[in-house]
């Protein structure tokens, strides 16, 4: 007749007990670890496999195995599964390294019409060309390729774009732009102080952030839009088909001191259109006002035609500050264009280019009715 099982004592330090208590109450630990911690704590109170099993709703042999692991490896080590032998990996580390190095090359370099790899194409190439040195890849499938690349955190089917800085004078030009924004800040403070003390301001200066927004499409609907119907259709409904009427360019500059937007809508944005915009600014400000423009390096801004027109103007009337190459984000007008596109131009449909022009100018008038004074703060403290 088999004898009674003898109760065994599991040695636990106060630190072990505190750790087991925390794990047994955890909501983030794996369920198996939580259950085993509860077993050990319950057995510590009442050393009986049957009693602990009935209390926790598990078989007494499960409790016994947990206690035996705790005796052999310690209470905290008993919470985890023991490593199992499992099946030997069929794909060698050398074959995995070869596959990963292959994934780091472009598919077109190996004669494929594809620019980048797909996992299916990579698996096929490995089966056809890797068997010579790595026989284990002879039956490689797409899913295994995904697992291997996932372990190495390689995604050869994706492209992450970056912008290489090609302007050697980027920092210097950025500093010049920041100095313009610093000047705007100083002019605002000076104007507020002069207004408060009722003093006559100094030499009038205005600073305009300018750019073009080309390619605004004049698109017409081929069927009327259907309005929303409460409880039935939540949105406007629009026919997929449309008709193109061409594109227009918006030439705009925002006065950084007042928030007023000066704008022209033209078919193109060549030197003659840019000069027309300069004439618009010239007419908008008194002759004694110095007009400083912040703009990019578009060819129309530095063309011989533009330079000839500027040379004919009074000295000091116009002054240009150019943003560095690939530095259009330094120009505040870009933020205005983004907001204008998301509000006025979003989902716009017109019957003609003339209607589009009228809608754009109406949008500019609406903006000028409630002008917003834009400010720049990024790295402004670093400006000299």
């Amino acid at each position: 007749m088999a004898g009674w099982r003898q109760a065994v004592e599991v040695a636990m330090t106060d630190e072990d007990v505190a750790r087991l208590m925390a794990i047994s109450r955890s909501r983030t630990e794996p369920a198996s670890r939580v259950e085993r911690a509860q077993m050990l704590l319950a057995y510590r109170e009442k050393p009986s496999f049957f009693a602990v099993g009935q209390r926790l709703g598990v078989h007494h042999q499960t409790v016994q195995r947990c206690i035996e692991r705790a005796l052999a490896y310690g209470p905290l080590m008993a919470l985890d599964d023991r490593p199992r032998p499992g099946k030997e990996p069929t794909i060698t580390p050398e074959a995995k390294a070869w596959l990963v190095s292959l994934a780091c090359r472009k598919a077109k370099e190996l004669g494929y019409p594809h620019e980048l790899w797909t996992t299916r194409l990579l698996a096929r190439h490995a089966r056809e060309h890797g068997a010579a040195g790595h026989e284990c890849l002879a039956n490689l499938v797409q899913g295994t390729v995904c697992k291997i690349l996932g372990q190495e955190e390689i995604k050869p089917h994706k492209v992450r774009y970056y912008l290489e800085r090609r302007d050697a004078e980027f920092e210097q030009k950025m500093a010049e732009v920041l100095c313009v924004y610093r000047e705007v800040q100083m002019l605002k403070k000076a104007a507020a102080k002069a207004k408060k003390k009722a003093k006559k301001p100094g030499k009038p200066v205005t600073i305009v952030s300018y750019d073009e927004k080309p390619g605004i499409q004049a698109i017409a609907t081929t069927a009327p839009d259907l309005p929303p119907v409460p409880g039935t259709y939540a949105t406007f409904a629009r026919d997929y088909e449309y008709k193109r009427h061409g594109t227009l360019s918006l030439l705009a500059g925002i006065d950084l001191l007042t928030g007023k937007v000066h704008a022209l809508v033209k078919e193109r944005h060549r030197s003659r259109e840019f000069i027309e915009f300069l004439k618009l600014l010239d007419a908008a400000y008194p002759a004694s006002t110095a007009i400083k423009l912040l703009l990019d390096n578009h060819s129309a801004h530095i063309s011989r035609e533009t330079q000839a027109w500027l040379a004919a103007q009074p000295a000091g009337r116009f002054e240009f500050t150019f943003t560095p190459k690939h530095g259009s984000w330094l120009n505040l007008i870009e933020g205005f264009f983004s907001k204008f596109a998301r509000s006025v131009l979003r989902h716009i449909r017109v019957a003609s280019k003339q209607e589009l022009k009228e809608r754009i100018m109406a949008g500019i008038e609406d903006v000028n009715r409630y002008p917003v004074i834009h400010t720049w703060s990024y790295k402004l403290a670093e400006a000299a």
Side-chain angles (χ1 to χ4, degrees):
M1 181 177 178
W4 292 97
R5 291 186 178 88
Q6 298 294 324
V8 293
E9 182 179 357
V10 180
M12 300 184 193
T13 64
D14 293 341
E15 183 179 352
D16 292 339
V17 174
R19 180 63 180 150
L20 290 173
M21 290 287 290
I23 295 174
S24 67
R25 298 169 181 170
S26 175
R27 293 179 178 270
T28 57
E29 289 278 355
S32 60
R33 287 174 56 84
V34 173
E35 185 180 60
R36 290 166 185 170
Q38 293 172 350
M39 290 181 195
L40 292 174
L41 292 172
Y43 187 83
R44 181 172 177 267
E45 296 177 4
K46 187 173 184 179
S48 168
F49 301 148
F50 290 96
V52 173
Q54 289 179 348
R55 176 177 172 181
L56 299 180
V58 297
H59 197 276
H60 67 87
Q61 290 182 352
T62 303
V63 180
Q64 181 179 353
R65 285 193 297 270
C66 180
I67 300 303
E68 290 173 351
R69 282 199 300 270
L71 289 173
Y73 306 106
L76 295 180
M77 295 294 292
L79 302 182
D80 299 316
D81 292 326
R82 295 295 94 204
R84 296 176 173 84
K87 182 182 177 182
E88 289 293 329
T90 57
I91 300 179
T92 63
E94 293 78 10
K96 290 183 180 180
W98 177 82
L99 185 66
V100 170
S101 65
L102 183 66
C104 293
R105 300 175 61 187
K106 286 189 174 182
K108 70 173 186 178
E109 296 176 3
L110 299 175
Y112 290 101
H114 310 68
E115 178 73 13
L116 302 176
W117 292 108
T118 64
T119 50
R120 192 181 302 277
L121 178 63
L122 188 58
R124 190 184 78 189
H125 182 86
R127 289 194 302 269
E128 295 175 354
H129 299 88
H134 307 285
E135 292 78 5
C136 56
L137 298 178
N139 298 316
L140 184 67
V141 295
Q142 180 187 9
T144 305
V145 171
C146 294
K147 291 180 181 179
I148 295 174
L149 297 181
Q151 293 171 356
E152 300 295 331
E153 298 184 359
I154 298 292
K155 299 177 181 179
H157 59 288
K158 291 189 176 182
V159 175
R160 181 178 63 85
Y161 287 89
Y162 73 98
L163 183 61
E164 185 176 346
R165 187 171 294 179
R166 296 179 175 87
D167 194 338
E169 301 177 350
F170 187 94
E171 298 293 339
Q172 177 185 344
K173 292 179 181 178
M174 182 175 72
E176 294 175 359
V177 174
L178 295 180
C179 286
V180 172
Y181 291 136
R182 172 61 68 85
E183 183 180 0
V184 172
Q185 189 181 64
M186 294 173 63
L187 288 172
K188 290 178 181 177
K189 292 180 179 179
K193 188 179 295 184
K195 184 178 180 180
K196 186 176 181 180
K197 296 183 178 181
K199 288 184 178 181
K200 185 178 180 180
K203 182 181 178 181
V205 177
T206 188
I207 299 177
V208 177
S209 174
Y210 169 83
D211 201 2
E212 300 94 1
K213 183 176 179 59
I216 303 175
Q217 296 191 70
I219 299 178
T221 56
T222 57
D225 288 346
L226 304 179
V229 177
T232 306
Y233 302 108
T235 66
F236 279 93
R238 174 172 288 170
D239 195 321
Y240 280 106
E241 292 189 5
Y242 56 87
K243 184 178 180 180
R244 296 180 185 272
H245 292 297
T247 60
L248 293 175
S249 294
L250 171 61
L251 292 73
I254 183 168
D255 190 321
L256 299 182
L257 298 176
T258 65
K260 181 179 179 181
V261 178
H262 305 275
L264 287 176
V265 178
K266 294 293 179 181
E267 296 274 348
R268 302 172 67 180
H269 55 286
R270 301 162 297 178
S271 297
R272 65 187 66 180
E273 285 81 20
F274 179 57
I275 292 174
E276 187 176 347
F277 180 83
L278 294 178
K279 291 178 180 179
L280 176 68
L281 290 181
D282 189 45
Y285 295 96
S288 59
T289 302
I291 303 174
K292 299 184 177 181
L293 271 79
L294 181 63
L295 65 174
D296 61 19
N297 297 272
H298 191 276
S299 58
H301 306 161
I302 55 177
S303 65
R304 285 182 295 179
E305 189 177 353
T306 300
Q307 295 299 324
W309 186 87
L310 290 172
Q313 306 309 305
R317 177 61 167 169
F318 287 95
E319 180 182 332
F320 289 180
T321 299
F322 295 99
T323 58
K325 191 174 183 180
H326 297 312
S328 60
W329 55 273
L330 287 166
N331 202 338
L332 266 175
I333 191 66
E334 297 292 346
F336 167 76
F337 281 155
S338 175
K339 184 178 180 180
F340 196 76
R342 286 181 282 111
S343 56
V344 177
L345 301 179
R346 183 168 176 259
H347 300 312
I348 193 169
R349 291 292 185 269
V350 293
S352 64
K353 292 170 71 172
Q354 180 61 30
E355 182 185 347
L356 176 61
K357 179 179 179 179
E358 293 172 357
R359 296 272 295 275
I360 292 174
M361 293 307 299
I364 297 295
E365 292 176 6
D366 185 69
V367 170
N368 287 333
R369 194 173 295 116
Y370 307 98
V372 176
I373 299 178
H374 295 250
T375 58
W376 183 275
S377 58
Y378 176 68
K379 288 192 174 182
L380 194 59
E382 302 178 13

